Amino acid sequence: MSTATSTPGSLGNLPAEVTSFVGRRHELTGVRRMLSTSRLVTLTGAGGVGKTRLAQHAGLELRRAFRDGVWLAELAELRDPDLVTVTVAEALGVREESVRPDAPGLATFLADRQALLILDNCEHLVAACADLVETLLRSCPHLRVLVTSRQALRITGEATLTVQPLSVPASDLACTPADLSRFEAASLLVERATAVLPGFEVTDANCATVTALCQALEGMPLAIELAVARLRVLTLEEILERLTDRYRLLTTGARNAPARQQTLRALIDWSWDLCSEPERRLWSRLSVFSGGLELDAAEQVCAFAPLAPESILDLIASLVDKSVIFRVGDGRRARYKMLEVVREYGAARLAEAGEQPEVARRHCDWFAELARYGDVHWASPDQAALMLRLRHEQANLRVALEYAVGSAAPEVALRFAADLQNHWFVRGFLSEGRHWLDRACEMPPPRHWTRARALRVASWIACVQGDLARASALLSEAKELVATLPPTPEQAFVPVVEGNIAMFAGDHATAVPLFEEALAGFRAQDVRAGELWCLAVLGLARGLSSAEPSDGYADLTACRDLAASHGEVWWRSFALWALCVLRWRADDHAGATTAAKESLEIGTVVEDEQFTVGLSLEALGWVAASLRRDQRAAQLLGASDRMWRAMHASLSSFRALRDFHDEVTSELRARLGDRAFEAAFDHGAALTPAEAMALAVERMPAPRPAPDTRVSRGPDPGTPEPARLGGLGLTPREREVAALVAEGLTNREIAARLVVAQRTAEGHVENILSKLGFTSRAQVAAWLAAQR
């Protein structure tokens, strides 16, 4: 929901650190300088040269320079140029702030923000990226964009920096171990070798070999990493010998290809040659996967003649041993990934073998079946695991859907896109779901229940996005088609979506009978997921339409109990949130709090679930406001806002909820004042999901409210005693800054007193407020006074 004016976050979405980042001080300086004078900087260079790591590291170093954050959008796994804007919006956390997150919508969101946007791996989507960047830069005067691509975007104002390979010793230079440490390629080689062989170091005995290996690999970071991985089975000398022999064979290669690209290709050629024929065949077939894969998917997609299903496990193990693929994560199911350059190589081999169409079809069939299974078993104890798996398979789902809408029968594409309805909704991927449903519906229309289903799912998504006119048009077409078909469960879904359209518009009187009709249909056909959906929205609509909110309790309690009896967690959580809203309206603040906290239990069951978590945080904020716990209320609203943005979803088009939110926000602003409200709101928005959950369930004392600055009263005697200085993790410098804040100095005055940059002083103050859990400098002063 739209709330207080706020930024997407001061830290953005960069990883906490960039691994294996060696040297590059000159390039980092160049990036900083170029971004100070150009609003678009593109890092170009060969695949595997280190453009991504350089961009990420530059972003980490520049965080303090961009008030509204540094944001990374990774495009390597994206194939559809129509999804570039959606993917960038996902990274920014604003995808559902408008009906469709298009370029003008992103431009509006970023218009007044001082931010750095990193677009990583754009070479296969150059035209779409160029169009988006041009629109954003034209409309957002404080935005800077850093791009990595094998080719420039070629738009006005673009500055380019070619990322060169890491420095290597000259061919005629005889190096000692001390000399070698000055070269970036050697430093990276030693770092990666140490990871493979703990205790590895450059000695007089191996120095010449390390030097020759760096020279042979021409300083390519990816080539170094792939080669050094062989230390598990080969010596340095053996690696060098094999590389040197293979490279001699490349002297007759394409003359117009850069030498370093020939070198990298040679390295992968060598890995290919080291594989057995079955390993090579599996490597090429695995290239159809995007973003990783699990064993059962590999067995289903890749196991056809001459590869037997029972051979896949051993072949996977062999490819892991040979560093062609690698295991990632530590979840309950093993997952494997392949470097993009290695995947592209395998894809080329797959095409040469003529197997690409068959493997792509099998890949689509597997993920369409996964989507079907997830939809059929939604209301079951498997729900949490299914949600997590679909989330992990997002990139594969995109590849499979692309095949479905381009090469499969319309019925396959329509059912596939619609079977993911819960994935699109729960995860907040509404615009992407609408994209695939629209494309499926554009195929030659079959008079089939799959089209009716796709139309009503698209209608439901449009409704949640606030596009009620489009939702009604789509549903009308679905109703006409259903009327001509034999009876199916789809008949009951039509009135439930129609009721939601009415409820979102505030017409609860129309919605209630439609939900009752749908509920009877679902019960007659024993459609458990539909019954849960109906009970949840029916109870909410009854309570919102009546002078007695308790009129909705029975349906919501029935939904909660039915879900619990089937091991379902999501609709149970939703029903508990709705129960909280109705109890709050009935002034049952204790009951509302209990219901919301029970709803929040989903956060401990479903990894990364934030939709109902965000709803419950919002509702708890309303309860806190009614109890005049205003600081807590504003912080909870801020935490909820962060959840909505992280989930890329919004229910601001739900009239009743929007009205409640606006009413509470106005009350809090009136009682706290705009500045104090926004400070508390921003503090809540800066909390991590775990911290927000702890605040919501009150597992830790909430930060005390800011003292009245008109009359200094000291700390509130009704709040817990403040923690001692040494136990809060403040550094000596932060303690010094805290004392200056207590004296009433501004950031500029603190910087002058300590002889540091003003940005550095601001960073110290931000860290102090975060560590102490405060929202204002006045709280720091009061807190310090209480320490003395």
Side-chain angles (χ1 to χ4, degrees):
M1 294 181 196
S2 176
T3 48
T5 301
S6 61
T7 67
S10 60
L11 295 181
N13 64 342
L14 285 176
E17 61 181 2
V18 180
T19 58
S20 301
F21 191 82
V22 175
R24 301 294 197 193
R25 303 311 308 174
H26 176 74
E27 289 90 340
L28 281 170
T29 300
V31 172
R32 287 196 299 267
R33 184 180 65 252
M34 295 171 76
L35 281 171
S36 69
T37 57
S38 301
R39 297 181 56 216
L40 168 62
V41 175
T42 299
L43 306 181
T44 62
V49 78
K51 301 183 293 295
T52 294
R53 284 177 180 165
L54 175 59
Q56 291 183 359
H57 202 82
L60 287 171
E61 289 203 346
L62 289 168
R63 270 178 167 167
R64 295 294 183 190
F66 293 90
R67 180 187 65 234
D68 296 310
V70 178
W71 299 85
L72 171 66
E74 299 174 301
L75 305 177
E77 295 174 356
L78 189 64
R79 298 289 177 269
D80 190 338
D82 291 339
L83 292 178
V84 167
T85 306
V86 170
T87 303
V88 173
E90 287 177 9
L92 288 167
V94 297
R95 185 170 52 135
E96 304 308 333
E97 294 293 328
S98 57
V99 171
R100 183 183 293 275
D102 53 11
L106 285 183
T108 299
F109 176 79
L110 291 168
D112 299 318
R113 286 176 162 86
Q114 182 184 358
L116 173 63
L117 174 62
I118 301 175
L119 301 182
D120 188 34
N121 286 295
C122 297
E123 54 269 5
H124 58 304
L125 302 162
V126 166
C129 290
D131 290 343
L132 174 60
V133 170
E134 195 166 40
T135 297
L136 293 180
L137 292 180
R138 185 169 56 246
S139 305
C140 310
H142 307 298
L143 178 69
R144 295 286 191 275
V145 180
L146 180 60
V147 170
T148 75
S149 176
R150 297 184 192 181
Q151 64 184 63
L153 300 187
R154 300 188 184 281
I155 61 179
T156 303
E158 180 183 33
T160 61
L161 175 65
T162 300
V163 181
Q164 300 293 342
L166 300 174
S167 59
V168 299
S171 57
D172 58 350
L173 180 64
C175 289
T176 66
D179 296 330
L180 204 56
S181 65
R182 301 197 309 267
F183 296 95
E184 296 167 334
S187 297
L188 177 60
L189 188 149
V190 171
E191 178 185 295
R192 303 315 300 145
T194 302
V196 177
L197 298 176
F200 177 88
E201 61 182 1
V202 180
T203 65
D204 290 334
N206 66 18
C207 185
T209 303
V210 172
T211 300
L213 196 54
C214 291
Q215 293 165 342
L217 296 170
E218 296 183 316
M220 289 293 288
L222 180 57
I224 292 169
E225 296 200 27
L226 291 172
V228 173
R230 302 297 182 195
L231 280 174
R232 285 196 289 259
V233 292
L234 298 173
T235 66
L236 283 173
E237 289 78 10
E238 289 173 323
I239 292 173
L240 178 61
E241 179 183 356
R242 289 171 179 264
L243 283 173
T244 304
D245 289 343
R246 167 55 68 186
Y247 287 5
R248 280 198 200 101
L249 297 177
L250 291 177
T251 55
T252 58
R255 295 184 179 182
N256 62 343
R260 59 182 177 273
Q261 290 183 5
Q262 294 182 14
T263 299
L264 187 59
R265 173 63 183 250
L267 183 59
I268 305 175
D269 277 337
W270 171 51
S271 294
W272 180 267
D273 290 344
L274 288 178
C275 292
S276 65
E277 180 55 33
E279 291 167 352
R280 294 176 191 173
R281 193 173 293 272
L282 181 59
W283 175 351
S284 66
R285 292 178 180 179
L286 291 177
S287 68
V288 74
F289 290 94
S290 180
L293 64 132
E294 294 179 3
L295 179 60
D296 56 354
E299 290 173 332
Q300 184 65 31
V301 174
C302 302
F304 60 95
L307 298 183
E310 60 270 18
S311 71
I312 300 299
L313 175 58
D314 288 339
L315 291 173
I316 288 277
S318 296
L319 292 177
V320 170
D321 288 341
K322 294 178 178 178
S323 298
V324 175
I325 61 176
F326 51 96
R327 182 178 173 180
V328 294
D330 56 359
R332 297 175 62 184
R333 300 173 64 93
R335 189 165 183 84
Y336 307 93
K337 293 197 73 173
M338 183 182 291
L339 291 171
E340 185 64 14
V341 68
V342 176
R343 191 202 64 78
E344 290 175 353
Y345 182 97
R349 294 288 189 165
L350 186 68
E352 290 172 5
E355 291 189 341
Q356 200 280 333
E358 172 67 9
V359 177
R361 181 191 64 78
R362 295 172 70 94
H363 179 272
C364 176
D365 289 347
W366 168 258
F367 285 101
E369 175 59 23
L370 178 64
R372 187 202 66 80
Y373 182 89
D375 188 68
V376 170
H377 293 83
W378 176 252
S380 76
D382 294 335
Q383 187 184 74
L386 286 168
M387 281 193 278
L388 181 60
R389 185 162 194 189
L390 290 172
R391 180 68 180 90
H392 286 168
E393 299 294 2
Q394 181 71 4
N396 276 312
L397 291 171
R398 285 172 170 169
V399 171
L401 283 163
E402 183 64 48
Y403 178 89
V405 298
S407 302
E411 292 85 351
V412 172
L414 290 163
R415 177 164 185 166
F416 190 176
D419 278 344
L420 290 168
Q421 57 183 324
N422 295 307
H423 176 64
W424 304 134
F425 181 62
V426 172
R427 291 298 184 185
F429 298 149
L430 300 180
S431 286
E432 178 159 357
R434 197 168 170 185
H435 166 84
W436 294 116
L437 288 160
D438 286 349
R439 291 188 61 184
C441 289
E442 289 168 1
M443 299 173 74
R447 301 201 65 78
H448 193 269
W449 67 268
T450 54
R451 179 170 176 82
R453 189 160 186 261
L455 287 167
R456 65 93 175 160
V457 174
S459 173
W460 168 227
I461 290 177
C463 171
V464 173
Q465 290 183 314
D467 190 355
L468 298 185
R470 177 63 174 161
S472 296
L474 289 166
L475 190 64
S476 177
E477 185 178 350
K479 289 173 67 175
E480 292 176 4
L481 181 55
V482 166
T484 68
L485 298 173
T488 74
E490 283 306 312
Q491 291 172 312
F493 280 101
V494 170
V496 78
V497 174
E498 189 172 5
N500 273 282
I501 294 173
M503 184 171 67
F504 270 62
D507 185 359
H508 303 114
T510 298
V512 168
L514 288 167
F515 291 148
E516 291 173 335
E517 176 190 347
L519 181 60
F522 287 131
R523 284 176 169 168
Q525 299 181 71
D526 197 27
V527 180
R528 194 70 61 233
E531 184 178 357
L532 289 168
W533 184 2
C534 269
L535 285 170
V537 292
L538 178 58
L540 182 60
R542 284 196 208 276
L544 293 176
S545 63
S546 172
E548 295 294 334
S550 59
D551 288 350
Y553 290 2
D555 293 315
L556 295 175
T557 301
C559 179
R560 179 198 65 190
D561 295 344
L562 180 63
S565 69
H566 286 79
E568 197 274 351
V569 295
W570 199 86
W571 281 116
R572 174 183 175 274
S573 178
F574 186 93
L576 285 164
W577 160 77
L579 195 59
C580 167
V581 173
L582 297 187
R583 285 177 173 170
W584 167 68
R585 290 189 67 240
D587 293 326
D588 177 8
H589 300 137
T593 299
T594 298
K597 289 182 177 179
E598 287 183 21
S599 176
L600 286 170
E601 291 176 2
I602 193 173
T604 65
V605 176
V606 180
E607 180 181 332
D608 199 33
E609 205 292 335
Q610 298 183 87
F611 195 98
T612 55
V613 171
L615 285 172
S616 294
L617 291 173
E618 175 85 15
L620 280 172
W622 301 347
V623 175
S626 295
L627 295 173
R628 291 185 173 265
R629 300 178 67 186
D630 293 345
Q631 284 282 329
R632 170 177 167 81
Q635 289 176 10
L636 285 167
L637 293 185
S640 173
D641 183 69
R642 172 174 175 147
M643 293 287 183
W644 282 107
R645 287 185 283 103
M647 279 297 295
H648 324 303
S650 171
L651 285 183
S652 60
S653 57
F654 195 136
R655 180 174 298 177
L657 300 186
R658 182 184 65 226
D659 291 346
F660 295 154
H661 171 82
D662 291 346
E663 178 184 342
V664 169
T665 299
S666 296
E667 290 176 1
L668 291 173
R669 285 185 179 276
R671 292 201 294 260
L672 288 172
D674 288 343
R675 178 175 296 182
F677 170 79
E678 290 172 7
F681 182 94
D682 290 344
H683 177 79
L687 297 175
T688 66
E691 291 168 341
M693 191 79 75
L695 172 66
V697 301
E698 300 184 275
R699 286 197 296 263
M700 61 183 182
R704 70 190 64 208
D708 188 336
T709 55
R710 292 171 297 179
V711 179
S712 179
R713 299 176 181 175
D716 182 350
T719 57
E721 278 295 311
R724 307 312 302 174
L725 194 64
L728 291 169
L730 295 186
T731 65
R733 176 63 93 180
E734 287 167 351
R735 296 175 194 173
E736 186 177 5
V737 172
L740 297 176
V741 168
E743 291 180 21
L745 272 64
T746 65
N747 288 339
R748 178 178 295 179
E749 292 167 339
I750 292 172
R753 178 81 64 88
L754 299 179
V755 195
V756 297
Q758 183 174 339
R759 176 62 66 176
T760 301
E762 292 170 355
H764 286 315
V765 173
E766 290 172 9
N767 289 339
I768 292 165
L769 292 173
S770 176
K771 289 180 179 180
L772 297 181
F774 292 156
T775 59
S776 73
R777 301 164 81 93
Q779 286 175 285
V780 175
W783 174 78
L784 269 180
Q787 301 291 309
R788 292 166 177 161

